[in-house]
Amino acid sequence: MTNVNRISDLQLRSTYLEIDQIVGELRTLRIASLEHRQGHKRPPKLPSRKILVGVAEGLSAAMFPNRLGSADLADEGVDHYVGHTLNTTLRALLVQIQHELHFNSGLETLNDEDRERAVEITQAFAKRLPAIRSLLETDIAAAYEGDPAAHSVDEVLVCYPGIMAITYYRLAHELHLLGVPLIARMISEIAHSSTGIEIHPGARIGGSFFIDHGTGVVIGETAIIGRNVRLYQAVTLGAKRFPVDEHGALVKGIPRHPIVEDDVVIYAGATILGRITIGRGSTIGGNVWLTRSVPPGSHITQAQIRHETFEGGAGI
């Protein structure tokens, strides 16, 4: 032990930290919070973010084994690797789906109905993986064709944060549709943490989707995006306002985010709010603040935006 470590150890041992008291106080607060939120002291486990990180990485590697899989993978071993990775990853996902269904049920133990439903969701999701891979091929091609700095599609796949965010979104979107929205949201937020790109898994996004640079992009839950759409960094497709019910609680699930039709380009820093439509083939310039629909073929720049009135506040 070095002199520095010895001194630190002596200082720690000579300091009375009252750990037992702190543990007791934290236990009291934890139990009170659980009883308030869940009605009992030991609620079912939530899905594990740490395990879902591995699930998302495993699914990505299974879809693109030569680029996102094992570094020493031989050609003759690709199918074996994909099969093994899928078997391990999907089994881990199945357990997390069971956790979400159990948590939602509020029951003491996972019942047979939810156990069978978890298997059905996992099987249905697995069958969708080839279609997800095909859709991602169009996204990768759009990124390569749309960025003069891209030297190969392989570079796009392994380097571009937009492709990672879109990959995780497309996986999460299928899980969202299959009825496990918490797991879907967690996978999307894993990508958000890594890339700075936030795509809600409830959004509907067509093929050949390209996010260039990407940091700060926000796409809301009810946004609808057509094919061959390109977004640049710091673009927001958000809600203009948040309606409340007679009790003052937010009304959830209503369409409140933009519809972006095919072949639209939205440049850096543009903020588009509300259930408005950006017509096919339009171009939205950088830093534009837009809360009204525009017809197909429009070219909107800051110079064209004069003043827009907001009622009831604005948001994203």
Side-chain angles (χ1 to χ4, degrees):
M1 181 180 291
T2 66
N3 288 336
V4 173
N5 289 337
R6 187 179 296 109
I7 293 171
S8 297
D9 185 58
L10 289 172
Q11 289 175 335
L12 182 60
R13 283 187 293 171
S14 65
T15 303
Y16 181 55
L17 298 177
E18 300 181 334
I19 295 297
D20 290 343
Q21 179 181 340
I22 296 169
V23 169
E25 291 175 1
L26 289 173
R27 184 195 314 115
T28 300
L29 291 169
R30 182 176 66 251
I31 291 173
S33 177
L34 289 173
E35 289 181 333
H36 175 70
R37 298 198 318 268
Q38 304 295 333
H40 43 76
K41 298 178 182 179
R42 299 182 62 186
K45 291 182 178 179
L46 285 170
S48 165
R49 179 185 174 95
K50 182 177 181 180
I51 292 175
L52 289 174
V53 169
V55 166
E57 291 176 348
L59 293 170
S60 300
M63 290 190 294
F64 299 96
N66 292 310
R67 295 295 177 261
L68 303 180
S70 176
D72 56 357
L73 191 60
D75 289 344
E76 61 273 15
V78 173
D79 284 347
H80 175 76
Y81 170 81
V82 171
H84 174 74
T85 301
L86 283 177
N87 186 54
T88 302
T89 303
L90 290 170
R91 287 180 184 276
L93 176 61
L94 170 62
V95 174
Q96 301 311 303
I97 292 174
Q98 289 177 340
H99 285 328
E100 178 166 346
L101 297 180
H102 184 199
F103 181 82
N104 290 338
S105 73
L107 301 175
E108 290 294 329
T109 59
L110 180 70
N111 60 30
D112 290 340
E113 181 180 351
D114 282 340
R115 187 175 285 108
E116 292 175 4
R117 185 172 172 228
V119 172
E120 292 171 357
I121 290 173
T122 306
Q123 291 174 335
F125 175 73
K127 291 177 181 179
R128 291 292 299 160
L129 288 173
I132 295 172
R133 158 77 197 236
S134 295
L135 198 53
L136 286 169
E137 292 279 4
T138 71
D139 301 324
I140 295 167
Y144 173 67
E145 294 165 3
D147 185 1
H151 295 95
S152 69
V153 292
D154 290 326
E155 177 189 2
V156 168
L157 176 59
V158 301
C159 293
Y160 281 38
I163 292 301
M164 177 187 177
I166 295 167
T167 299
Y168 281 35
Y169 155 76
R170 295 212 183 278
L171 294 169
H173 181 65
E174 292 301 325
L175 290 166
H176 181 87
L177 294 177
L178 288 168
V180 279
L182 177 57
I183 289 175
R185 187 67 186 271
M186 292 172 74
I187 290 175
S188 287
E189 290 302 326
I190 289 166
H192 182 199
S193 297
S194 297
T195 66
I197 298 168
E198 180 180 352
I199 309 176
H200 194 287
R204 292 160 49 191
I205 303 176
S208 300
F209 182 50
F210 176 30
I211 301 175
D212 200 359
H213 306 297
T215 303
V217 165
V218 177
I219 300 174
E221 176 187 15
T222 63
I224 300 175
I225 299 175
R227 291 185 54 82
N228 195 33
V229 170
R230 183 190 311 176
L231 308 183
Y232 287 82
Q233 66 270 24
V235 166
T236 295
L237 303 180
K240 181 178 178 182
R241 59 176 65 89
F242 306 106
V244 297
D245 61 21
E246 64 273 16
H247 304 293
L250 288 177
V251 178
K252 299 179 183 290
I254 61 173
R256 60 192 184 280
H257 299 100
I259 298 171
V260 180
E261 295 184 342
D262 298 348
D263 306 313
V264 169
V265 178
I266 305 176
Y267 284 97
T271 299
I272 302 173
L273 304 180
R275 193 57 161 189
I276 63 175
T277 299
I278 308 301
R280 179 173 184 166
S282 294
T283 299
I284 309 301
N287 297 315
V288 164
W289 184 282
L290 191 61
T291 59
R292 59 176 173 80
S293 295
V294 299
S298 298
H299 295 271
I300 307 299
T301 65
Q302 276 188 303
Q304 296 170 305
I305 303 297
R306 297 290 182 238
H307 175 75
E308 295 189 2
T309 300
F310 290 87
E311 297 178 0
I316 60 171

